[in-house]
């Protein structure tokens, strides 16, 4: 695309004046205007943009395409924008791209149909905000639409060195429902379930006792499990089949302690996985070894666990409980067990990239102490389950805890 105008200086009567020159489709000069009130190049660009948007200044139809066509083409994994960001090491989620295209299609089409790119203005966006709000759309949907419009517009202005008037349009304030978490009694009660699908059960343990996100559970590989040090190296995040394995969100690769109950559950997955589908993924897929377990399988299985414990759909909605709630549960359990806030921050990967670079020193995190406190806290609740709890399951848990202590004692002797 050719920039629709250019800014240059001209001296008139001993005074420097900024001028703008507009171009037609064929590159010929359409009009030149002196901008006597412009104090600098930025001010001149703003004035030129304002003139460009007025009737009477011809604009190339190639440089001013239909708004819907431009925005939908922008939100494609085949777009120049997607390639440009990838070449610079910025990975944009294919899901984010698809959702941006979808929100344009579902909520922006009626406002943008028949309009061209330069028709997009702060006034139009404010109209969109008001009309969608009156139609009952929430701040989250409206903000996503604004983002899906403003990002392409900003990119165009950047490439053509134009001022961006849409920066004046601010997003709406959102009040999202706080994510819920499970109590220690609920976690202990569900740990006692022995006939749950092994993959669902292990995923539940990884979320509640290791603080792993769903994508991190799905992306867990056998090489990430360090039995010698009783650690899990969380360094993979499975997004979608079109993207595959990526790094954990926000650069939050980390090491977390591996309680014996989780290790045993993971070992079980290795034992039951059909040889046909055995591969690098711990949470195998029964259809193909190239992909891990599906998110739908995990979510459905977790809901069944909640239903069995008595946390039905209405209660889940009220408490806003989902699989990601297990990550919140892990943090709550850790604090209740007396694990320091610094250690929790390291185990959960909670910080900006800058904070992670500054404070991520795994050698100062006492993983054994964190593991002991977590298991001790859970033991206190597990042994106090109702009298009709399965005695065999309780005995297994006690044996696992005893094994952990024996390993600790042997490690201490060997270190001496």
């Amino acid at each position: 695309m050719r920039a629709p105008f250019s800014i240059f200086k001209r001296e008139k009567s001993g005074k420097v004046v900024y001028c703008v020159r507009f171009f037609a489709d064929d590159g010929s000069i359409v009009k030149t205007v002196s901008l006597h009130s412009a104090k600098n190049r930025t001010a001149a660009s703003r004035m030129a943009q304002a003139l460009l948007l007025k009737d009477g200044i011809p604009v190339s139809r190639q440089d001013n395409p239909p708004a819907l066509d431009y925005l939908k083409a922008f939100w494609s994994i085949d777009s120049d924008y997607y390639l440009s960001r990838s070449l610079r090491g910025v990975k944009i989620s294919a899901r984010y791209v698809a959702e941006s295209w979808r929100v344009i299609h579902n909520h922006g089409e009626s406002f943008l149909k028949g309009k061209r790119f330069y028709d997009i203005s702060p006034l139009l966006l404010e109209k969109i905000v008001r009309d969608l709000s009156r139609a009952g759309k929430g701040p989250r949907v409206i903000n996503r639409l604004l983002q899906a419009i403003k990002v392409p517009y900003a990119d165009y202005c950047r490439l053509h060195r134009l001022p961006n008037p849409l920066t004046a349009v601010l997003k709406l304030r959102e009040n999202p429902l706080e994510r819920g978490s499970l109590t220690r009694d609920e976690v202990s009660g569900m740990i006692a379930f022995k006939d749950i699908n092994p993959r669902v059960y292990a995923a539940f343990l990884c979320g509640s006792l290791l603080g792993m996100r769903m994508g991190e559970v799905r992306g867990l590989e056998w090489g990430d499990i360090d039995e010698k040090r009783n650690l899990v190296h969380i360094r993979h995040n499975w997004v979608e089949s079109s993207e595959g394995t990526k790094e954990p969100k926000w650069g939050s690769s980390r090491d977390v302690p591996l309680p014996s109950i989780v290790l045993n559950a993971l070992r079980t997955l290795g034992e039951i996985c059909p040889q046909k589908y055995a591969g690098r993924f711990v949470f195998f897929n029964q259809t193909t070894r190239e992909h891990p377990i599906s998110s739908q399988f995990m979510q459905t299985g977790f809901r069944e666990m909640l239903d069995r414990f008595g946390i039905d759909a209405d209660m889940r909605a009220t408490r806003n409980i989902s699989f990601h709630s297990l990550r919140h549960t892990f943090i709550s359990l850790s604090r209740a067990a007396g694990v320091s806030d610094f250690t929790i921050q390291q185990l959960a990967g909670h910080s900006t990239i800058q904070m992670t670079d500054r404070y991520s020193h795994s050698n100062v995190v006492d993983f054994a102490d964190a593991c002991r406190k977590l298991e001790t806290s859970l033991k206190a609740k597990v042994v106090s389950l109702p009298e009709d709890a399965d005695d065999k399951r309780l005995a297994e848990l006690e044996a696992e805890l005893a094994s952990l202590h024996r390993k600790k004692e042997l490690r201490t002797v060997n270190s001496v």
Side-chain angles (χ1 to χ4, degrees):
M1 286 187 183
R2 176 191 175 87
F5 61 81
S6 65
I7 301 293
F8 63 95
K9 294 179 182 179
R10 175 180 291 172
E11 187 173 339
K12 290 186 177 182
S13 302
K15 182 180 179 181
V16 175
V17 176
Y18 283 95
C19 301
V20 56
R21 180 166 290 159
F22 296 95
F23 300 98
D25 287 338
D26 58 3
S28 61
I29 298 174
V30 173
K31 188 175 184 180
T32 301
V33 180
S34 298
L35 307 172
H36 294 280
S37 60
K39 302 295 184 183
N40 50 48
R41 182 172 292 275
T42 299
S45 294
R46 291 197 184 100
M47 294 175 67
Q49 180 74 5
L51 290 172
L52 187 66
L53 296 176
K54 287 184 178 181
D55 293 335
I57 299 295
V59 177
S60 165
R61 295 181 71 83
Q62 179 182 358
D63 289 344
N64 189 24
L68 273 175
D69 292 348
Y70 185 91
L71 295 175
K72 288 185 174 181
F74 183 93
W75 291 117
S76 165
I77 59 174
D78 298 323
S79 70
D80 292 341
Y81 175 76
Y82 189 90
L83 175 60
S84 177
R85 300 295 282 173
S86 298
L87 292 174
R88 287 164 175 79
V90 180
K91 293 183 178 181
I92 305 175
S93 167
R95 180 178 179 181
Y96 171 70
V97 172
E99 288 180 349
S100 298
W101 187 96
R102 193 176 300 114
V103 75
I104 291 287
H105 179 74
N106 292 340
H107 303 291
E109 188 154 346
S110 60
F111 298 99
L112 299 170
K113 189 174 183 179
K115 297 187 181 299
R116 291 196 167 265
F117 188 71
Y118 282 144
D119 293 331
I120 300 174
S121 67
L123 285 175
L124 176 61
L125 293 195
E126 288 296 336
K127 172 178 170 52
I128 292 174
V129 169
R130 292 193 297 268
D131 288 356
L132 287 179
S133 180
R134 292 189 182 106
K137 303 302 179 184
R140 181 174 177 80
V141 171
I142 295 174
N143 284 339
R144 289 175 65 182
L145 178 59
L146 290 178
Q147 181 79 353
I149 296 174
K150 292 174 68 175
V151 169
Y153 199 96
D155 184 68
Y156 181 89
C157 291
R158 176 184 65 83
L159 293 176
H160 294 81
R161 295 186 296 176
L162 299 174
N164 181 4
L166 299 190
T167 56
V169 182
L170 304 179
K171 69 177 183 179
L172 303 185
R173 181 177 179 178
E174 297 183 29
N175 295 303
L177 182 63
E178 183 179 355
R179 180 74 66 180
S181 64
L182 300 180
T183 67
R184 189 163 54 182
D185 288 333
E186 290 168 340
V187 172
S188 297
M190 282 185 271
I191 284 177
F193 293 162
K194 65 177 183 179
D195 54 350
I196 297 295
N197 181 286
R199 287 180 294 166
V200 173
Y201 184 72
F204 165 77
L205 294 179
C206 286
S208 59
L209 302 186
L210 304 185
M212 296 175 66
R213 303 177 178 95
M214 178 179 288
E216 294 168 347
V217 174
R218 297 175 66 197
L220 184 65
E221 300 182 6
W222 288 110
D224 300 333
I225 301 174
D226 186 348
E227 294 193 35
K228 185 176 180 180
R229 299 173 58 200
N230 283 332
L231 294 177
V232 172
H233 306 294
I234 300 177
R235 53 194 178 190
H236 299 114
N237 174 38
W238 183 270
V239 184
E240 296 296 341
S241 57
S242 59
E243 293 184 82
T245 299
K246 297 175 65 176
E247 293 183 355
K249 294 177 64 176
W250 318 120
S252 57
S253 296
R254 59 202 185 276
D255 294 340
V256 296
L258 182 59
S260 58
I261 187 173
V262 183
L263 176 58
N264 290 337
L266 297 179
R267 285 172 174 168
T268 299
L269 299 187
E271 295 170 358
I272 67 173
C273 178
Q275 186 61 35
K276 181 179 179 181
Y277 301 117
R280 72 180 195 270
F281 295 113
V282 176
F283 290 84
F284 59 91
N285 189 311
Q286 289 184 311
T287 303
T288 172
R289 69 169 60 192
E290 302 302 322
H291 299 158
I293 185 175
S294 71
S295 59
Q296 183 178 2
F297 188 95
M298 291 173 59
Q299 291 167 341
T300 301
F302 179 53
R303 285 195 295 266
E304 291 174 353
M305 289 185 70
L306 294 171
D307 285 333
R308 177 172 171 178
F309 195 81
I311 304 176
D312 59 18
D314 290 339
M315 190 178 299
R316 292 197 295 273
T318 300
R319 293 172 56 182
N320 194 22
I321 293 178
S322 66
F323 188 89
H324 192 72
S325 298
L326 295 177
R327 182 166 162 81
H328 293 252
T329 300
F330 165 75
I331 296 171
S332 300
L333 288 176
S334 299
R335 284 178 174 164
V339 180
S340 71
D341 286 344
F342 172 75
T343 302
I344 294 173
Q345 187 178 51
Q346 300 302 303
L347 300 182
H350 269 175
S351 63
T352 62
I353 293 178
Q354 292 77 13
M355 291 288 286
T356 301
D357 291 341
R358 181 177 178 183
Y359 294 105
S360 183
H361 306 290
S362 60
N363 60 312
V364 303
V365 177
D366 190 344
F367 292 111
D369 180 63
C371 183
R372 182 178 64 255
K373 287 179 177 179
L374 279 169
E375 294 213 27
T376 300
S377 174
L378 286 170
K379 176 185 176 183
K381 288 296 178 179
V382 170
V383 298
S384 63
L385 287 172
E387 294 181 359
D388 59 349
D390 190 280
D391 293 336
K392 182 178 178 181
R393 181 57 177 166
L394 291 176
E396 291 174 350
L397 291 173
E398 288 291 339
E400 291 170 357
L401 290 170
S403 175
L404 179 68
H405 292 308
R406 286 196 298 271
K407 288 181 180 179
K408 179 179 179 298
E409 292 173 357
L410 289 174
R411 193 181 300 114
T412 302
V413 172
N414 291 334
S415 63
V416 175

